[in-house]
Amino acid sequence: MADVELDPAGGMAAGSGRSGKAATLHDVARKVGVAPRTVSRVVNDEGGYSETTRQRILDAIEELRYRPNLLARGLITRRSGTVGLVVNDLTDPLVLALAASAQDSFREQGRSMFFASSDDDADRQGAILQSLWSHAVDGMIVIPVRDSYRQLVDYVRRGVPIVVVGDLVGAQNVTRVMFDLDGGFRLAVGHLLDTGRRSIGVIGSAASPYGRCPGQEGIGNAFFASDARTQLVRAEPTVSGGAAGLEQLLELRPDLDGVLACNDMVAIGAVAAAQARGRRVPEDIAVIGCNDIDSGAVVTPSLTTIRLDASLLAGAVAVALQGLIDEPGVQRDPVVLPVELVVRDSG
Amino acid sequence: MADVELDPAGGMAAGSGRSGKAATLHDVARKVGVAPRTVSRVVNDEGGYSETTRQRILDAIEELRYRPNLLARGLITRRSGTVGLVVNDLTDPLVLALAASAQDSFREQGRSMFFASSDDDADRQGAILQSLWSHAVDGMIVIPVRDSYRQLVDYVRRGVPIVVVGDLVGAQNVTRVMFDLDGGFRLAVGHLLDTGRRSIGVIGSAASPYGRCPGQEGIGNAFFASDARTQLVRAEPTVSGGAAGLEQLLELRPDLDGVLACNDMVAIGAVAAAQARGRRVPEDIAVIGCNDIDSGAVVTPSLTTIRLDASLLAGAVAVALQGLIDEPGVQRDPVVLPVELVVRDSG
DNA sequence: CTGAAAGCGCTTACAG
DNA sequence: CTGAAAGCGCTTACAG
């Protein structure tokens, strides 16, 4: 009514907390002179009321600035309008990109998103799942800690819709969404072979959260029927891990002319180490990364990489979760998302 | 009791949603043979019960796997155990770093964090605030859309604890946490002058979400009593904006030998543009960025930058919010966080 | 040390 | 087209 005052204390007593006493369904009903049930019908678009009544209720809602209390509603409907996103590693740019996109996808579904990270700690993940359950989330998206299948299935059994990102061992009966890393690996190897590389090293980490990691099983297939020499080393999934990995490769294969890294940070480290050893990239050694993090486009040389599209993942994950919510208990096939080779300067 | 079955369908009917029928306070009470009130006391550590009773209740809780329904509790206490983090731009690495750290800080407070982005759209921000309010969050952290003070103060007046990141115009009576960008600017200018630069350009954007932006008021002071020539240009806060900014600077000042960029992406763009014009960095032109994003350390040359510590911000913001929750209505001074100059190769 | 009653703000059957 | 009653799962006074 009156113009907005800019004094945040307003007319209310200080120190009184949420003193505004938000309007309730009953306040609206009383003002209009109908039963709360009728207001509830209008709020939820249930139909079964006269247009006149609807309009008067809507006006009262506007005037009282009524908003339904989602806690009260959720207590009855067991739908809180919230979902949880549980990730494993906040230093991973793809995880952050997923969080960003997932938030968008869920907003379109009218849901608010809880966000939490287990930091790859199983106990912490357990506490997070517990907390989300206590908040009665409608579902969860989880990039799980390794070997935490039993933790998850516990909630699945209680009826919580859960979508797992990646290829969690043992989780064949939990809905999964993952990238086609094998396919990306084949693309990358094909590109290296096509551009004449014949001594190719793979720097793999223990596992990828997004699918089966290049450098594990399947490595042989990509090279099948080629005349390339190959070598696999393991490394931490970091820049320094990548540097260490490259030096290891060079010792094993002095003629190394191509490298596949299991993620872009590893690739960046490998490039730096190669240059430090006097090898030019890509002239002497081609390096291909994976994930397509932002940095990859701005480093020199810019990184050729297997692009994992975070918004594609976010969309797929949101759709899968909605499916589980709509039809609980239906068994879902894993969703495998396509990847793309982005050719830039490094290989 | 029995070993965990790996069939997620368990023994329950499929398609029955959250059919597990989670145990309630009453279930625990009935099992132990006490009143619900007594169980509530134990759950909330209120004291006023015998050790024997406590132990029996704890055992029953364990056995029934009882967890309090936070929706029901929140309905009464008006403390939902949740907070909202509302950001403005998910492409900003510092925003993501803040989200990551804030999540941690709130977990330590025993709160779960909602995460949402307005994408710099005022209507969207309004919808998010609305939704968080409906979920009865205990408080909100907001990196606000520009000029959205009135939206925020509306909730402040309703008693919602809100902490604003940055120097929102008009928000002098809302609790704010920001970085000392002016101080960082002085550090950077001092470094440029100390290393002999005498024709210094500033690439500023319209505003920074984290404080007053370098390139705005205060620019004069940093150069006061120096014999340097200075030039200010505006640019989009992106890599290409930085490139455009540098070319503009070179036209205005062909003798340019130092550049201050309002963020690291702008700085990276400026470096690339300088190199494209045949200028060496840092020999011919020194470039200093701001924010210290991860990429800054891996580009060539690595970026000298003003570091804004996301976890410092997250901690300060969480503490400020807790303060508001504990003592609602108390007027708070803005918190100004120190920054640091990280000298690397670019300047 | 323990409990019976009322109620947070909403929705779900059910009855007119 | 509309409403009175019961209850979601918990806590808050209050009484013993």
Side-chain angles (χ1 to χ4, degrees):
Chain A
M1 309 236 102
D3 212 343
V4 184
E5 262 192 283
L6 287 186
D7 169 19
M12 61 193 221
S16 44
R18 192 169 271 203
S19 36
K21 289 276 179 195
T24 71
L25 203 67
H26 285 82
D27 297 332
V28 177
R30 195 179 319 129
K31 178 161 191 96
V32 179
V34 295
R37 181 69 186 86
T38 305
V39 179
S40 174
R41 282 199 178 87
V42 171
V43 168
N44 294 303
D45 257 342
E46 283 177 42
Y49 35 74
S50 70
E51 182 52 29
T52 327
T53 309
R54 195 183 84 96
Q55 206 39 259
R56 288 175 56 215
I57 290 176
L58 253 27
D59 289 348
I61 285 176
E62 174 88 353
E63 191 174 336
L64 296 175
R65 311 167 103 242
Y66 166 72
R67 299 296 152 182
N69 181 321
L70 266 25
L71 265 42
R73 177 183 288 172
L75 191 55
I76 305 175
T77 61
R78 291 162 186 294
R79 292 273 167 102
S80 62
T82 62
V83 294
L85 174 66
V86 185
V87 304
N88 63 334
D89 177 11
L90 284 172
T91 64
D92 183 339
L94 185 55
V95 166
L96 293 175
L98 171 65
S101 284
Q103 179 266 136
D104 251 42
S105 302
F106 290 130
R107 189 165 36 66
E108 283 167 18
Q109 295 180 356
R111 287 186 233 275
S112 297
M113 185 184 87
F114 284 109
F115 180 49
S117 168
S118 63
D119 292 339
D120 265 324
D121 178 305
D123 291 342
R124 195 165 291 181
Q125 177 174 294
I128 291 169
L129 297 180
Q130 186 73 261
S131 161
L132 291 175
W133 156 261
S134 288
H135 280 294
V137 291
D138 296 342
M140 310 181 187
I141 306 292
V142 185
I143 304 182
V145 173
R146 289 224 288 155
D147 303 326
S148 62
Y149 168 62
R150 302 195 126 208
Q151 242 179 37
L152 292 172
V153 83
D154 189 26
Y155 290 92
V156 171
R157 200 178 305 114
R158 293 195 229 169
V160 185
I162 295 189
V163 173
V164 167
V165 174
D167 191 30
L168 185 65
V169 176
Q172 276 68 26
N173 40 16
V174 172
T175 299
R176 284 161 297 156
V177 177
M178 65 188 84
F179 282 108
D180 179 18
L181 293 185
D182 283 344
F185 191 57
R186 278 192 299 275
L187 282 176
V189 168
H191 176 73
L192 288 174
L193 295 175
D194 287 351
T195 53
R197 313 292 172 169
R198 286 299 175 270
S199 178
I200 298 176
V202 177
I203 307 178
S205 75
S208 164
Y210 310 113
R212 258 154 293 158
C213 192
Q216 314 248 301
E217 66 272 9
I219 178 171
N221 293 332
F223 290 104
F224 186 72
S226 86
D227 58 350
R229 295 169 298 288
T230 62
Q231 182 64 50
L232 170 66
V233 299
R234 305 271 180 210
E236 289 296 299
T238 60
V239 172
S240 56
L246 188 102
E247 296 186 354
Q248 216 182 322
L249 281 178
L250 277 179
E251 272 177 33
L252 295 164
R253 300 243 173 228
D255 65 346
L256 188 77
D257 61 4
V259 170
L260 226 55
C262 69
N263 78 38
D264 289 337
M265 298 313 281
V266 169
I268 288 172
V271 168
Q275 291 171 334
R277 294 292 196 103
R279 312 285 182 113
R280 292 167 305 164
V281 177
E283 294 83 349
D284 303 329
I285 302 181
V287 177
I288 299 186
C290 182
N291 286 18
D292 193 24
I293 65 175
D294 287 342
S295 312
V298 296
V299 293
T300 309
S302 61
L303 215 56
T304 293
T305 190
I306 300 166
R307 170 176 294 163
L308 308 188
D309 185 333
S311 60
L312 185 67
L313 176 58
V317 129
V319 166
L321 193 61
Q322 185 63 54
L324 280 175
I325 292 171
D326 290 343
E327 299 183 71
V330 175
Q331 186 72 21
R332 308 276 165 183
D333 288 332
V335 178
V336 179
L337 303 170
V339 302
E340 183 189 355
L341 184 68
V342 180
V343 178
R344 298 204 190 90
D345 298 337
S346 72
Chain B
M1 307 236 101
D3 212 342
V4 185
E5 262 192 282
L6 287 185
D7 169 19
M12 61 191 221
S16 44
R18 191 170 273 203
S19 37
K21 288 275 179 196
T24 71
L25 203 67
H26 285 81
D27 296 332
V28 177
R30 195 178 319 130
K31 179 162 191 95
V32 179
V34 296
R37 181 68 186 88
T38 305
V39 179
S40 174
R41 281 199 179 87
V42 171
V43 168
N44 294 303
D45 257 342
E46 284 177 40
Y49 35 75
S50 70
E51 181 52 29
T52 328
T53 309
R54 195 184 84 97
Q55 206 39 260
R56 289 174 56 215
I57 290 177
L58 254 27
D59 289 348
I61 286 176
E62 174 88 352
E63 192 175 335
L64 296 175
R65 309 168 103 243
Y66 166 73
R67 298 297 152 181
N69 181 320
L70 266 25
L71 265 41
R73 178 185 287 171
L75 192 55
I76 305 174
T77 61
R78 289 163 188 295
R79 292 274 168 103
S80 61
T82 62
V83 294
L85 174 66
V86 185
V87 305
N88 63 333
D89 177 12
L90 285 173
T91 64
D92 183 339
L94 185 56
V95 166
L96 292 176
L98 171 65
S101 284
Q103 178 266 137
D104 252 42
S105 301
F106 290 131
R107 188 166 34 66
E108 283 166 19
Q109 295 180 356
R111 287 186 234 274
S112 297
M113 186 184 87
F114 283 109
F115 181 48
S117 169
S118 63
D119 291 339
D120 264 325
D121 179 305
D123 290 342
R124 194 165 291 180
Q125 177 174 292
I128 291 168
L129 296 180
Q130 185 73 261
S131 160
L132 290 176
W133 156 260
S134 287
H135 281 294
V137 291
D138 295 342
M140 310 181 187
I141 307 292
V142 185
I143 305 183
V145 173
R146 288 224 289 154
D147 303 326
S148 63
Y149 168 62
R150 301 195 127 209
Q151 242 181 35
L152 292 173
V153 84
D154 189 27
Y155 289 93
V156 171
R157 200 177 304 114
R158 294 195 230 169
V160 185
I162 295 188
V163 172
V164 167
V165 174
D167 190 29
L168 185 65
V169 176
Q172 277 68 26
N173 39 16
V174 173
T175 300
R176 285 161 296 156
V177 177
M178 65 188 85
F179 283 108
D180 179 19
L181 293 185
D182 283 343
F185 190 57
R186 276 191 301 274
L187 282 176
V189 168
H191 177 73
L192 288 173
L193 294 175
D194 287 351
T195 53
R197 312 292 171 168
R198 285 299 175 270
S199 178
I200 297 176
V202 177
I203 307 179
S205 74
S208 164
Y210 312 113
R212 257 154 295 159
C213 192
Q216 313 248 302
E217 65 272 9
I219 178 172
N221 293 332
F223 290 104
F224 186 71
S226 87
D227 58 350
R229 296 169 298 288
T230 62
Q231 182 65 49
L232 170 66
V233 300
R234 305 273 179 210
E236 289 296 300
T238 60
V239 171
S240 56
L246 187 102
E247 296 187 353
Q248 216 182 322
L249 280 177
L250 276 179
E251 272 178 32
L252 294 164
R253 300 245 172 226
D255 65 346
L256 187 77
D257 61 5
V259 170
L260 226 55
C262 68
N263 76 40
D264 288 337
M265 297 314 281
V266 169
I268 288 171
V271 168
Q275 290 171 334
R277 294 292 197 103
R279 311 285 183 113
R280 292 166 304 164
V281 177
E283 293 83 350
D284 303 327
I285 302 181
V287 177
I288 299 185
C290 183
N291 287 18
D292 193 25
I293 65 177
D294 287 343
S295 312
V298 295
V299 295
T300 310
S302 60
L303 215 56
T304 293
T305 189
I306 300 165
R307 169 177 295 162
L308 309 188
D309 185 333
S311 59
L312 186 67
L313 176 58
V317 131
V319 167
L321 193 62
Q322 185 63 54
L324 281 174
I325 291 171
D326 290 341
E327 299 182 71
V330 174
Q331 186 71 22
R332 308 276 164 184
D333 288 331
V335 178
V336 179
L337 303 171
V339 303
E340 182 188 355
L341 185 67
V342 180
V343 179
R344 297 204 190 90
D345 298 337
S346 72

